[in-house]
Amino acid sequence: MLMKIFFKFKNLKYLFLVFISACIDNAPLDSLSPEGPYARSIDELFWLTFWIAVIIFVLVQGALLVSVLLFRDKPNKPEPKQVHGNTKLEIIWTVIPVLILAFIAVPTVRTIFDLAREPEDALKIEVIGHQWWFEYKYPDYGITTANVLVIPSDRPVRLEMWSNDVLHNYWVPKLNGKRYLVPGQKTYLNLHADNPDEFWAQCGEYCGLSHSKMRGRVISLSENDFNLWINNEQQNALKLEDGSLAAEGQSVFLNAGCTQCHVINGVWDTQGDRIAPNLTHFAARTVFAGAALENNKENLTNWLANPAKIKPGTFMPNLELTEAEINALIAYLGTLK
Amino acid sequence: MTKILEPKKQNSIFRRPSSETGIWSWITTVDHKKIGIMYGYAAFFFLLIGGLEALVLRIQLSQPDNNFLSAAEYNAMFTMHGTTMIFLAIMPISAAFFNYLLPLQIGARDVAFPRLNALSFWIFIFGGIFLYSTFIFGTAGAPEGGYLDEEVSWLGSAPNGGWFGYQPNAGLKYSPGTAMDFWALGLQILGIASLISAFNFITTIINMRTKGMRFMRMPVFTWMTFAVSFLLAFSLPIIAIALFYVTFDRNFGTSFFLVEGGGDPVLWQHLFWLFGHPEVYILILPAFGIVSEVLPTFSRKPLFGYAAIVFAGFGIAFIGFGVWAHHMFASSISTVAQAGFGLSTMVIAVPTGVKIFNWLGTIWGGKLKLNTPMLFSLGFIGMFVIGGLSGVTHSIVPADTQQTDTYYIVAHFHYVLFGGAMFGIFSGLYYWFPKVWGKMYNETLGKIHFWLMLIGFNLTFGPMHWLGLQGQVRRTWVYAKETNLQFWNVIVTIGAFIIALSIVVFMINWIFSKRNGEKAPFDPWDARTIEWSIPSPTPVWNFSTAPNVKSLDDFWHSKYDEDEEGRAVRKPTADQLLIDLEEDGLNPKEEIILPNPSYFPIVLASGLPLLGYAVIFKSIALAVVGVILILSGSFGWGTEPLEEGH
Amino acid sequence: MSNSHLSHPTPKKYVQIAIVLGVLTAIEVALYYTEEIVGSFTAPLLVTLAIGKFVIVVGWFMHLRFENKTVNRFFTGGMILALILFAIVMFERASANYF
Amino acid sequence: MSTAHAYPHEDTGVETRKLGMWVFLSTEILFFGTLITTFMIFKGKDFPGIKLTDVYDIPFTSISSFVLLMSSLTMVLAHNALESDDQEKTRVWLLATAMLGAVFLAGQIYEFTEFYHKGFELDTNIFSSSFYVLTGFHGLHVFIGVVLLLSLWGIGQRQNGLTLESGMNLEFVALYWHFVDIVWIVLFTVVYLI
Ligand code: HEA
Ligand code: HEA
Ligand code: CUA
Ligand SMILES: [Cu+2]
């Protein structure tokens, strides 16, 4: 009942947001505009706490200001009464905070357990952290991809996560809070988007030189689109035979050393896990290199010419490719739909 | 005039140092006041360095995708900024206050172990120098197998694992080079310094109180020193061992925190925060103590709820040991642990609230004199509450999973660290300025400092709340233009420079007032505690006769009575009392024996960094020299009595 | 200035205590070898014995029994704190999803 | 009292250095607590590789534990002798304590070398690392204790010899020594027997 009153209060927040965001259009990593049930339950909890905090803030700062204004020294002001304390007050201001906290504690604990529970009809996806990109595996469909996580919008997904090297922290602000990716241990996170849409993701935990460029995208698709996407992803890439530029690129790919690290199903096949993103459907991804770059020709040229310049510390070497090789590679990568 | 005994020479293997002025008198001193002053200056120096590093960070962040700094440099800068501010600035500034004030407040002639006190200071200095020598000797680079486009500059060759050095990123494989070894060993050395001073202060408070100074008559600042010393004594050992593990992992092939060998990176998080959370109360409780002295003095009223404030302080210290995993809410801890630590964290708000309300109770109905120390104390309450409340929003675990690792956290901890600890410290620096130097600071400059700092501070750290909620992740060298975070980042950077300006004002005030300030009256604030009952600047021997304490705020009660309404009335004898006290304080009636200066603390301390270098450079020779220094220091120490001849 | 309210024990007493300690150690080692017989009681028994020896040394040899209350509180305080903190860490780590 | 606070004050009645030592020992609990916790956490893991149980020798360690335990007796006897102002006996018991400590250390060194030969080295795996760091840290404490005892003994050889008030105070070294002993009581059980 009290809770209801507080949630009514909630609408005030828009006023507040309009005020503070006067100079900002929308921020893709905004944690205050939830677009799924998990994020929303967090959001409600946050605003509940926030308004309580605001009230306490106003009371304390008010008391502070009032005392300063009322009691500041003026000429001829008599000496103050020497009050040493007051047990009754002491009890009051111990008990009231306890009650307030107890009031917040109940929904907090409930939400903690709600968020941790595995949803019943969830799609299971594995998220593996690498310095500095996220790898995704769909065990039910035998798919391996990177950077862009594609999820169905009609049902929740359950992420099972771990790291291949250091700690990372998976965060899609509009869908849920963060969860670490720990080497040697598994952690879990649920995602569920209200609608088909695109969201930003970011690695939260400091994970070395290119931590800031360890980003991601989440795309939620309607049931139909999702199935189409799955079907496409399950296809192998075609081996190109003709003498086109793309075919030239393919041979660069096979001969310049890319195959030490990258896999393209059907062209250079999986032999266990590789340390680099699977490129089979590279062209189907809107972003690459840990979602730090838009997938376009210019960015790809820069990347292939000198990866470490874009992502310091990266494990992809500068293979001293010629311009012609790069162009061919880009043409080839463009065919990997 | 003074009747200090000339130290008898000899009696020891080496000749004792005997300079009373000049540089040697500082190097060999065991006087808690000199040590306190040295702590203060050293810490302030590091505060400037840490601040400069922050300004460099802010310049980089004022534009999206900026390239003022390289990634390696940025990472080194925030790591050194955090490490410096916490271990080399705030902790030692608090130590400066403890050293200078603690014996005065309990009416003692010195701390329990004066030479240990000097040792602790020199270890701190050598630790700081050792840590900063990373810019010269340290190396850093890309993780094993990774590539860098450019050489790492000297600026980037500092520790870069963040101030809590999460494993395995801070391990050898992912942070190659020696920079992180400098960090681990540097903190180890600094930890030893703090641990030693903690033993010293605990023993001092328990055993060296003057006659009548019962526990419940001690000033609150002394109480908070006591609490902080406990926190140090019980939390530093944990980090010491954890840092040992890191050093072993990095240098001797073990794998305590590395999965490849069966280790557990999350264990490091536990061990670090088992120390790290008590640490944040180590940083704030001294400020609580200072504020509890300043508010009553300038309100001309006793502290409201003395006992409650004292117990709340200990409550915070105690509960503070049970909340560490709130830094790991998003980590791999179990759901039950999340709930448990979430609840325990909320509980901390209660004793802290008790303090806040009692402070408000203190100023309520008082006669507030808004001098600079008072302004900083009032500012402290206002700013700390903001930080505390955002802390409570972190304790709401699900909400914290959105906030953690963003600038919302950065905002929280700067509000408590800067708005809390630093405001409290500035309050104390102004408040005791006359006591230490015998001069008054300039009130106008002080007020300018306060207002500039208040404004700059809020401009800097206020918008960070918003930035964090908008998705700016901490420890990010660049942020994408599309995230639309630029506007407030510019404001933040401007704010940081306003803070810098305010600190320049402070330094000008300090330097000029110390040299040319008005002579401080005997009791400039009409204060309450016994450190004001001795002349300013404090004579070397502190109290020439042992004060006999009859009540809480003994000095005040020797000046004031209460009338039937409970109002303070100045005793007619008060003025004469002050004159007598000054006369008595300057001319001790009996011979006073003071501890003699000694070379050995600094000799012993100088061995520690050598051991550190020995590990880093894998040099047995350095280790041998280090051990020899330590042994000869201890040997000289052991054979030399604390004070000569009586 | 060492002043104990109770007078310290005599050397004879100390020797007796040492004998007790020796016997307890012998029992511990014996327990180790009889693990099959004693079964799941072994560990708790061993811990109890260790605590017993611990308390005896602290109480008698270190004179904590005769020492001032403040000192007493410190030491036991440190003990209890350490036990609680580390028990939590151990339980928490035992529940992690290692793979 | 050797400190210069020549005026009356409130205190606990515990001599200051002794009090300092108690405080120090309280924090030592946290040092060893951290080490033991780490050891226990790793002990419970099933990580492949050689374990302590594959290499250790219980009878041997039992004997060296017993030696250390008895050094507490000689220590307390030394203290007792000093209180009854028997310099001669004090020195004898001090030396005996130091010797027992040295025997324990020698045993530990022997044990470590044995383990090394059996392939249980510092960097073999978490079991060996946590074992060596834990017991090594304790060994370092014993070593420091032996040095302190020997220095006391050396001071005792000088003319006016040892007093309870003297700079290097026997009582406080004794506290340290007993503490090192009780830590081993715990380690012996936790590391070897359980
Ligand atoms: C001076 C240092 C200091 C202090 C005093 C505090 C005080 C508090 N801190 Fe803070 N904290 C830090 C320094 C400090 N913190 C630092 C440095 C970090 C980051 C480390 C890093 O990651 O680098 C951090 C991070 C941090 C986190 C982890 C966030 C994350 O990384 O995800 C959390 C989570 O719970 C937290 C909580 C709290 C709480 C609840 C308090 C409470 O003690 C606050 C209590 C005070 C009040 C609540 C205000 C006054 C009370 C009232 C007016 C009474 C009424 C109030 C209520 C009923 C609510 N802090
Ligand atoms: C008490 C501690 C303390 C204090 C006082 C400060 C003070 C400041 N901090 Fe600090 N900060 C931390 C503790 C502190 N910080 C910690 C623990 C971290 C986390 C680190 C980590 O993630 O590992 C952090 C992280 C941190 C970040 C986040 C970095 C990141 O995550 O990427 C930022 C960013 O803006 C920042 C900014 C500032 C600023 C602008 C100030 C300003 O207030 C500084 C003001 C001071 C000055 C400006 C100095 C004045 C200098 C002069 C006047 C020049 C004169 C010089 C000479 C004459 C030599 N800090
Ligand atoms: Cu991965 Cu930051
Ligand atoms: Cu904390």
Side-chain angles (χ1 to χ4, degrees):
Chain A
M1 161 210 72
L2 259 172
M3 291 275 282
K4 281 225 181 80
I5 302 178
F6 267 105
F7 285 143
K8 284 243 171 68
F9 236 132
K10 218 174 53 179
N11 295 333
L12 258 179
K13 88 180 183 196
Y14 295 109
L15 216 80
F16 175 73
L17 289 185
V18 167
F19 163 73
I20 197 164
S21 60
C23 311
I24 297 189
D25 337 312
N26 85 324
L29 285 169
D30 186 2
S31 67
L32 299 178
S33 44
E35 305 210 7
Y38 297 109
R40 201 166 303 112
S41 67
I42 295 176
D43 194 57
E44 282 168 10
L45 205 52
F46 172 72
W47 285 105
L48 169 69
T49 334
F50 178 80
W51 288 115
I52 293 177
V54 166
I55 295 170
I56 297 172
F57 170 82
V58 170
L59 289 178
V60 173
Q61 310 288 356
L64 193 64
L65 284 179
V66 168
S67 335
V68 171
L69 293 179
L70 280 184
F71 303 115
R72 60 186 302 174
D73 194 11
K74 290 183 205 92
N76 300 328
K77 200 173 161 79
E79 288 286 343
K81 276 212 184 102
Q82 304 290 298
V83 186
H84 293 267
N86 182 327
T87 317
K88 220 184 269 165
L89 273 177
E90 216 73 70
I91 293 172
I92 292 177
W93 60 47
T94 311
V95 170
I96 289 183
V98 171
L99 293 178
I100 297 176
L101 291 169
F103 172 74
I104 319 178
V106 177
T108 301
V109 174
R110 193 182 328 115
T111 315
I112 293 175
F113 285 95
D114 284 351
L115 287 170
R117 201 170 301 122
E118 177 167 4
E120 263 154 33
D121 53 342
L123 170 70
K124 195 166 159 192
I125 304 176
E126 294 169 349
V127 181
I128 303 136
H130 299 264
Q131 271 180 332
W132 290 277
W133 53 285
F134 292 109
E135 178 171 12
Y136 305 106
K137 292 191 174 170
Y138 295 65
D140 299 350
Y141 303 109
I143 294 173
T144 302
T145 177
N147 301 321
V148 182
L149 172 65
V150 178
I151 59 171
S153 66
D154 60 328
R155 61 173 173 146
V157 291
R158 173 83 165 171
L159 305 180
E160 181 178 299
M161 315 196 289
W162 66 90
S163 166
N164 197 39
D165 34 53
V166 302
L167 298 171
H168 301 281
N169 192 352
Y170 195 69
W171 189 32
V172 191
K174 297 192 177 181
L175 299 184
N176 202 338
K178 303 181 192 66
R179 186 66 51 197
Y180 280 25
L181 280 60
V182 183
Q185 291 165 43
K186 286 193 174 156
T187 53
Y188 299 88
L189 186 70
N190 302 330
L191 297 183
H192 193 175
D194 294 333
N195 300 305
D197 203 345
E198 183 175 351
F199 310 99
W200 280 51
Q202 165 75 45
C203 171
E205 183 52 40
Y206 174 59
C207 52
L209 284 162
S210 280
H211 154 61
S212 51
K213 294 201 169 171
M214 182 162 173
R215 302 173 193 157
R217 291 291 153 77
V218 177
I219 294 179
S220 68
L221 297 175
S222 64
E223 193 178 354
N224 210 4
D225 290 348
F226 183 70
N227 288 335
L228 286 176
W229 179 82
I230 292 281
N231 274 335
N232 183 47
E233 287 284 314
Q234 283 171 330
Q235 309 301 315
N236 283 351
L238 293 179
K239 246 195 159 120
L240 304 179
E241 305 286 353
D242 58 59
S244 68
L245 186 61
E248 227 172 86
Q250 176 179 298
S251 79
V252 177
F253 180 84
L254 290 171
N255 300 317
C258 319
T259 48
Q260 289 166 39
C261 307
H262 291 281
V263 166
I264 297 180
N265 302 346
V267 175
W268 179 262
D269 263 312
T270 356
Q271 280 138 22
D273 283 341
R274 293 306 177 98
I275 65 155
N278 181 313
L279 297 177
T280 314
H281 296 280
F282 178 75
R285 311 205 275 256
T286 49
V287 284
F288 72 99
L293 299 171
E294 293 289 326
N295 192 348
N296 60 34
K297 186 159 191 283
E298 191 196 338
N299 285 340
L300 265 175
T301 313
N302 291 338
W303 174 255
L304 294 175
N306 190 355
K309 179 146 197 214
I310 290 164
K311 286 182 112 172
T314 184
F315 293 84
M316 169 147 158
N318 178 350
L319 289 167
E320 314 280 342
L321 303 170
T322 61
E323 223 180 291
E325 284 171 327
I326 291 180
N327 285 334
L329 272 172
I330 293 175
Y332 175 58
L333 289 169
T335 65
L336 299 171
K337 288 274 199 284
Chain B
M1 184 182 79
T2 66
K3 296 192 192 143
I4 307 211
L5 274 194
E6 263 296 292
K8 260 196 236 146
K9 301 283 156 29
Q10 226 285 305
N11 211 353
S12 162
I13 307 204
F14 304 96
R15 223 164 69 82
R16 283 201 92 126
S18 55
S19 343
E20 268 158 38
T21 51
I23 179 123
W24 282 104
S25 75
W26 291 90
I27 289 178
T28 59
T29 188
V30 295
D31 176 6
H32 71 97
K33 296 180 289 298
K34 281 193 164 159
I35 293 175
I37 290 169
M38 289 194 288
Y39 253 121
Y41 277 120
F44 190 78
F45 172 74
F46 282 118
L47 179 81
L48 291 182
I49 305 263
L52 283 177
E53 284 158 352
L55 293 181
V56 171
L57 291 176
R58 284 320 315 171
I59 294 174
Q60 165 71 12
L61 292 174
S62 60
Q63 296 291 324
D65 295 315
N66 201 351
N67 55 11
F68 174 74
L69 293 177
S70 72
E73 289 165 348
Y74 184 88
N75 296 346
M77 281 300 101
F78 73 70
T79 304
M80 287 306 278
H81 164 68
T83 309
T84 305
M85 286 300 194
I86 289 191
F87 295 99
L88 296 173
I90 308 280
M91 272 172 91
I93 286 198
S94 304
F97 279 99
F98 296 164
N99 265 295
Y100 199 96
L101 291 170
L102 175 62
L104 299 184
Q105 286 204 323
I106 61 172
R109 192 142 284 155
D110 207 317
V111 293
F113 309 106
R115 282 178 299 179
L116 271 188
N117 210 14
L119 176 67
S120 147
F121 171 73
W122 289 112
I123 294 181
F124 155 68
I125 288 290
F126 284 118
I129 294 173
F130 176 83
L131 183 56
Y132 263 84
S133 70
T134 175
F135 283 109
I136 303 168
F137 303 123
T139 51
E144 207 178 292
Y147 300 91
L148 273 176
D149 186 39
E150 50 184 351
E151 293 271 300
V152 176
S153 68
W154 68 272
L155 198 63
S157 61
N160 52 11
W163 84 278
F164 42 75
Y166 267 6
Q167 301 288 337
N169 184 42
L172 189 60
K173 191 167 165 200
Y174 302 104
S175 299
T178 55
M180 277 319 275
D181 292 311
F182 274 96
W183 179 83
L185 292 161
L187 292 201
Q188 191 74 270
I189 296 174
L190 293 169
I192 297 173
S194 301
L195 206 50
I196 293 176
S197 63
F199 303 145
N200 210 342
F201 293 138
I202 292 178
T203 326
T204 307
I205 294 176
I206 294 183
N207 252 8
M208 311 306 257
R209 283 162 290 131
T210 187
K211 221 165 80 197
M213 182 61 83
R214 303 207 190 116
F215 276 117
M216 289 316 281
R217 291 178 187 168
M218 294 195 314
V220 175
F221 179 77
T222 300
W223 269 115
M224 292 305 114
T225 312
F226 203 29
V228 168
S229 302
F230 275 111
L231 284 168
L232 285 168
F234 288 140
S235 67
L236 279 168
I238 305 176
I239 189 72
I241 299 296
L243 288 168
F244 261 122
Y245 291 158
V246 172
T247 309
F248 270 70
D249 277 4
R250 292 184 57 96
N251 293 284
F252 307 119
T254 60
S255 39
F256 287 100
F257 303 125
L258 309 176
V259 263
E260 299 92 87
D264 184 352
V266 180
L267 179 62
W268 163 262
Q269 298 181 7
H270 274 298
L271 297 182
F272 184 88
W273 292 116
L274 265 167
F275 151 81
H277 188 82
E279 168 73 14
V280 307
Y281 294 111
I282 289 167
L283 300 169
I284 199 68
L285 289 180
F288 283 0
I290 291 171
V291 168
S292 305
E293 301 290 310
V294 170
L295 289 174
T297 303
F298 291 93
S299 308
R300 307 186 59 71
K301 268 182 73 200
L303 191 63
F304 196 90
Y306 166 82
I309 286 198
V310 169
F311 289 127
F314 273 79
I316 292 171
F318 183 73
I319 306 170
F321 267 108
V323 305
W324 74 89
H326 68 207
H327 297 273
M328 304 158 62
F329 281 152
S331 186
S332 73
I333 63 171
S334 66
T335 318
V336 176
Q338 289 172 17
F341 281 99
L343 295 179
S344 67
T345 303
M346 289 181 195
V347 172
I348 290 246
V350 177
T352 318
V354 167
K355 285 194 166 233
I356 301 273
F357 298 132
N358 276 301
W359 288 326
L360 291 174
T362 306
I363 57 175
W364 189 266
K367 184 172 157 190
L368 309 190
K369 292 200 162 28
L370 298 181
N371 297 66
T372 312
M374 184 63 166
L375 287 178
F376 271 103
S377 281
L378 295 171
F380 164 91
I381 300 180
M383 296 304 107
F384 177 77
V385 164
I386 300 178
L389 290 172
S390 63
V392 173
T393 65
H394 303 329
S395 71
I396 312 301
V397 184
D400 183 68
T401 61
Q402 286 285 17
Q403 299 154 3
T404 186
D405 283 334
T406 69
Y407 270 75
Y408 190 80
I409 305 292
V410 179
H412 157 68
F413 67 69
H414 283 95
Y415 264 87
V416 280
L417 283 170
F418 198 113
M422 286 296 294
F423 271 56
I425 282 166
F426 278 119
S427 177
L429 286 176
Y430 283 108
Y431 180 56
W432 281 293
F433 186 93
K435 177 92 274 165
V436 178
W437 303 120
K439 301 274 176 65
M440 294 305 288
Y441 62 84
N442 182 307
E443 198 65 66
T444 319
L445 282 178
K447 284 184 176 154
I448 294 177
H449 170 204
F450 171 75
W451 288 109
L452 266 183
M453 187 167 261
L454 189 72
I455 293 166
F457 167 75
N458 281 294
L459 275 184
T460 310
F461 300 112
M464 282 188 187
H465 292 106
W466 176 247
L467 285 170
L469 294 172
Q470 286 293 308
Q472 185 170 1
V473 172
R474 64 190 284 205
R475 298 171 165 184
T476 44
W477 151 62
V478 290
Y479 51 94
K481 199 165 186 321
E482 298 88 323
T483 50
N484 279 317
L485 298 167
Q486 185 182 2
F487 177 81
W488 289 110
N489 268 302
V490 173
I491 303 288
V492 168
T493 303
I494 294 172
F497 279 91
I498 298 180
I499 298 181
L501 183 65
S502 75
I503 290 183
V504 172
V505 174
F506 168 76
M507 288 193 294
I508 292 174
N509 194 353
W510 189 274
I511 292 166
F512 280 94
S513 306
K514 190 172 159 266
R515 203 172 297 155
N516 305 327
E518 270 173 58
K519 192 180 170 334
F522 182 71
D523 175 21
W525 311 127
D526 204 358
R528 318 180 65 85
T529 41
I530 58 172
E531 78 268 24
W532 297 100
S533 71
I534 51 178
S536 313
T538 323
V540 251
W541 54 88
N542 296 357
F543 297 87
S544 45
T545 36
N548 187 354
V549 173
K550 290 180 216 64
S551 65
L552 178 63
D553 289 339
D554 189 64
F555 183 46
W556 172 267
H557 291 297
S558 66
K559 293 181 293 188
Y560 286 90
D561 276 330
E562 285 176 25
D563 65 14
E564 6 7 300
E565 273 193 301
R567 295 184 189 279
V569 194
R570 199 169 169 90
K571 289 183 183 170
T573 53
D575 292 331
Q576 187 56 39
L577 176 80
L578 295 186
I579 295 170
D580 292 348
L581 278 172
E582 180 152 27
E583 168 62 24
D584 183 52
L586 289 174
N587 301 298
K589 294 195 188 51
E590 43 194 68
E591 285 176 342
I592 291 172
I593 304 160
L594 288 176
N596 295 68
S598 170
Y599 291 119
F600 299 114
I602 191 171
V603 172
L604 208 170
S606 66
L608 286 173
L610 289 183
L611 290 186
Y613 288 122
V615 173
I616 287 176
F617 298 121
K618 309 276 180 297
S619 151
I620 303 281
L622 276 174
V624 171
V625 179
V627 170
I628 289 176
L629 280 173
I630 291 175
L631 287 182
S632 49
S634 329
F635 180 72
W637 186 316
T639 52
E640 165 194 90
L642 180 60
E643 63 270 316
E644 308 285 344
H646 59 279
Chain C
M1 255 182 64
S2 94
N3 55 342
S4 352
H5 332 296
L6 304 165
S7 60
H8 283 184
T10 56
K12 199 172 136 216
K13 186 92 192 172
Y14 285 133
V15 175
Q16 286 169 352
I17 294 166
I19 292 172
V20 172
L21 287 171
V23 172
L24 290 182
T25 312
I27 299 178
E28 284 180 342
V29 179
L31 269 175
Y32 171 80
Y33 285 107
T34 57
E35 184 154 3
E36 272 112 76
I37 309 164
V38 191
S40 56
F41 288 107
T42 315
L45 274 174
L46 281 172
V47 172
T48 319
L49 284 170
I51 295 175
K53 285 163 73 184
F54 187 101
V55 171
I56 293 177
V57 176
V58 177
W60 291 87
F61 286 179
M62 295 169 87
H63 304 127
L64 194 61
R65 284 186 65 228
F66 316 105
E67 206 59 271
N68 185 288
K69 266 194 311 212
T70 324
V71 171
N72 220 317
R73 284 200 199 118
F74 258 118
F75 197 70
T76 38
M79 240 17 252
I80 294 169
L81 181 75
L83 284 175
I84 298 175
L85 295 188
F86 293 128
I88 296 176
V89 175
M90 280 193 250
F91 281 119
E92 200 290 308
R93 279 297 83 199
S95 69
N97 300 307
Y98 297 108
F99 67 89
Chain D
M1 289 213 49
S2 65
T3 35
H5 307 264
Y7 53 71
H9 53 265
E10 303 273 316
D11 64 20
T12 46
V14 184
E15 200 265 339
T16 310
R17 273 166 304 171
K18 200 167 122 191
L19 183 64
M21 181 51 83
W22 273 110
V23 177
F24 172 66
L25 296 182
S26 318
T27 71
E28 285 273 62
I29 296 175
L30 275 290
F31 272 111
F32 282 103
T34 313
L35 288 160
I36 294 172
T37 311
T38 314
F39 182 85
M40 298 280 278
I41 287 176
F42 291 152
K43 191 175 183 171
K45 270 196 159 189
D46 63 329
F47 188 75
I50 185 167
K51 302 200 161 129
L52 181 64
T53 42
D54 301 332
V55 292
Y56 66 4
D57 177 0
I58 290 291
F60 181 84
T61 316
S62 305
I63 292 173
S64 65
S65 305
F66 184 73
V67 168
L68 192 62
L69 196 61
M70 286 308 117
S71 76
S72 259
L73 174 64
T74 51
M75 186 74 244
V76 84
L77 291 176
H79 186 196
N80 203 279
L82 186 62
E83 278 190 335
S84 36
D85 208 21
D86 187 340
Q87 292 283 333
E88 180 68 35
K89 258 198 194 151
T90 312
R91 259 177 289 144
V92 171
W93 287 127
L94 268 178
L95 199 59
T97 314
M99 287 304 118
L100 288 174
V103 169
F104 174 84
L105 275 179
Q108 199 171 38
I109 292 169
Y110 168 78
E111 196 183 58
F112 281 13
T113 32
E114 279 296 288
F115 291 178
Y116 252 78
H117 289 318
K118 292 182 186 158
F120 192 70
E121 297 174 18
L122 175 67
D123 56 0
T124 306
N125 55 30
I126 41 168
F127 307 118
S128 63
S129 312
S130 51
F131 168 79
Y132 282 115
V133 174
L134 172 56
T135 50
F137 198 71
H138 176 265
L140 183 69
H141 276 72
V142 178
F143 177 73
I144 293 173
V146 171
V147 172
L148 289 176
L149 288 167
L150 288 178
S151 340
L152 270 183
W153 178 74
I155 295 172
Q157 300 291 49
R158 290 208 308 194
Q159 261 185 0
N160 31 8
L162 289 164
T163 58
L164 274 178
E165 282 72 40
S166 64
M168 264 290 275
N169 184 316
L170 184 135
E171 194 168 10
F172 108 144
V173 175
L175 279 179
Y176 175 84
W177 189 260
H178 292 307
F179 181 79
V180 170
D181 186 24
I182 57 175
V183 169
W184 188 256
I185 291 177
V186 176
L187 292 196
F188 182 54
T189 304
V190 170
V191 177
Y192 291 88
L193 296 181
I194 291 186

